[in-house]
Amino acid sequence: MINGRIIKAMSGEYVVDTNIGVFTTRPRGIFRHKNNAPKVGDFVDISTTDEEHDQSVIVHIHPRKNEFIRPAVSNIDYLAIVMSVKSPTIDWLLIDKFICSSLHNETKPILILTKCDLLSEDDYKALEQYKLYYDDLDISLLFSINNNHLNQLKSLIKDHVVVLTGQTGVGKSTLINKLDQSKDLETQEISTKLGRGKHTTRHIELFLFKGGYIGDSPGFSQLDVSMIEMQSLKYYFEEFNRFSKSCKFRECLHHREPKCQVKKAVEEGSIMKHRYDHYIHLLEAKMNEKPKY
């Protein structure tokens, strides 16, 4: 039996990195019957059917410390949310959805903004205020501009497993190429006709990087956070916790309740209004969800 980590999945085949080499494998049918397909990032046991190790099969998936549906990965340390400030325009609601998903899965989020060289000086200064706000929430916000910024990112993710996620066309593959110049991932420009990126990355893949792995994933513009319970959503907006203990109601949802200190903090500017608006957007969507039977 050989133990390793899945680093790539495509067309029903899985590439597993082990201490004796890299194997291309297929899973046993039992995983399909149990609706437990392997994911990139999984630690697995594989069995080979001949001495040359030409044929191998995944026979066991080890328990996961975390897992995501989109991107479909497991056992990661950081979810790096990559967004461009222009072409496509930055989507702060999608960013906060990613942050909620990351925290829900006990994974540390990192926010990386690309194409910052396209900003005016005033727009860049405005983003620096966002950086101070998110940094205060212990969410690193990094600008992908020059080597100094790239070195900050390299230092942060060293010895960890990091997966880049975000919309198509924001520059995830380009960023990996900059971080590791031995890589030559295919990239494409944004489609001016459609106003969004063209799908270049079609599968998730982990690459060895500074004692850990860095992963690229296909881009998308929608994210489902239905796995988060309505009562739990507020805890993923960390700044709310600083004021919620003073709310009149113990289980205050910070929505329509009177004497809510979170709403007061929004009015006083201690909580960014767009963060609160995003919370209300997600909360009301959950309130309108059809019950699951």
Side-chain angles (χ1 to χ4, degrees):
M1 203 74 67
I2 304 168
N3 177 260
R5 182 196 289 267
I6 296 175
I7 58 172
K8 182 178 179 180
M10 191 167 62
S11 302
E13 292 188 331
Y14 297 84
V15 179
V16 180
D17 184 21
T18 78
N19 59 3
I20 62 170
V22 176
F23 294 81
T24 299
T25 70
R26 287 186 176 273
R28 278 186 171 171
I30 190 172
F31 297 117
R32 184 172 63 253
H33 296 312
K34 290 185 176 181
N35 197 26
N36 183 32
K39 289 186 174 184
V40 171
D42 277 346
F43 290 103
V44 297
D45 294 332
I46 61 176
S47 175
T48 58
T49 56
D50 58 24
E51 293 182 359
E52 300 297 326
H53 300 320
D54 287 336
Q55 302 292 326
S56 57
V57 63
I58 296 173
V59 297
H60 178 66
I61 301 173
H62 291 260
R64 298 161 175 155
K65 73 174 184 179
N66 56 48
E67 62 176 306
F68 291 79
I69 298 173
R70 196 170 193 183
V73 294
S74 68
N75 300 318
I76 67 174
D77 301 311
Y78 289 102
L79 186 70
I81 306 156
V82 185
M83 288 282 169
S84 65
V85 294
K86 287 182 180 291
S87 300
T89 304
I90 190 167
D91 186 339
W92 290 103
L93 174 59
L94 184 58
I95 286 172
D96 285 332
K97 282 185 177 182
F98 274 123
I99 290 172
C100 289
S101 177
S102 178
L103 296 175
H104 176 72
N105 285 286
E106 299 182 356
T107 304
K108 189 139 181 90
I110 306 172
L111 179 54
I112 304 170
L113 301 184
T114 62
K115 306 182 185 180
C116 294
D117 55 310
L118 302 177
L119 291 175
S120 68
E121 186 175 341
D122 288 342
D123 287 339
Y124 185 75
K125 286 181 179 178
L127 273 186
E128 288 183 323
Q129 295 303 309
Y130 278 74
K131 175 176 172 58
L132 291 174
Y133 189 85
Y134 279 92
D135 283 351
D136 188 50
L137 300 176
D138 197 26
I139 299 172
S140 297
L141 194 161
L142 305 174
F143 302 131
S144 176
I145 301 176
N146 52 40
N147 287 335
N148 287 336
H149 293 88
L150 290 176
N151 288 336
Q152 289 179 18
L153 181 57
K154 288 179 182 178
S155 175
L156 189 64
I157 64 180
K158 182 182 178 182
D159 299 323
H160 292 95
V161 180
V162 184
V163 171
L164 275 56
T165 189
Q167 293 170 295
T168 303
V170 297
K172 298 186 296 295
S173 299
T174 298
L175 182 58
I176 289 180
N177 288 341
K178 288 181 179 179
L179 288 169
D180 186 349
Q181 295 184 3
S182 69
K183 301 289 181 292
D184 187 22
L185 304 186
E186 182 185 357
T187 61
Q188 286 185 340
E189 294 299 321
I190 198 81
S191 168
T192 55
K193 182 177 180 181
L194 297 175
R196 61 179 185 266
K198 303 172 185 177
H199 289 282
T200 301
T201 303
R202 297 175 180 84
H203 59 271
I204 300 173
E205 184 170 1
L206 298 178
F207 304 98
L208 286 170
F209 183 79
K210 292 190 174 293
Y213 293 90
I214 188 166
D216 197 9
S217 65
F220 52 90
S221 58
Q222 301 293 325
L223 182 66
D224 180 16
V225 290
S226 61
M227 78 295 292
I228 300 175
E229 296 293 332
M230 184 176 71
Q231 292 287 347
S232 301
L233 182 64
K234 60 187 177 182
Y235 298 116
Y236 301 125
F237 288 78
E238 174 62 32
E239 62 270 49
F240 293 7
N241 300 331
R242 303 171 187 177
F243 305 94
S244 60
K245 291 180 181 179
S246 300
C247 289
K248 179 179 180 180
F249 298 102
R250 182 183 231 177
E251 297 302 322
C252 184
L253 288 176
H254 321 310
H255 186 220
R256 293 173 180 157
E257 299 89 341
K259 297 184 180 180
C260 171
Q261 297 306 304
V262 169
K263 289 191 289 185
K264 183 179 178 182
V266 175
E267 293 171 0
E268 294 174 347
S270 299
I271 293 176
M272 273 191 169
K273 188 175 184 303
H274 86 276
R275 284 271 291 173
Y276 177 75
D277 289 345
H278 294 166
Y279 165 74
I280 294 298
H281 174 89
L282 297 176
L283 180 69
E284 291 184 343
K286 299 201 76 61
M287 288 178 170
N288 294 324
E289 282 180 357
K290 293 180 179 180
K292 298 177 181 178
Y293 298 103

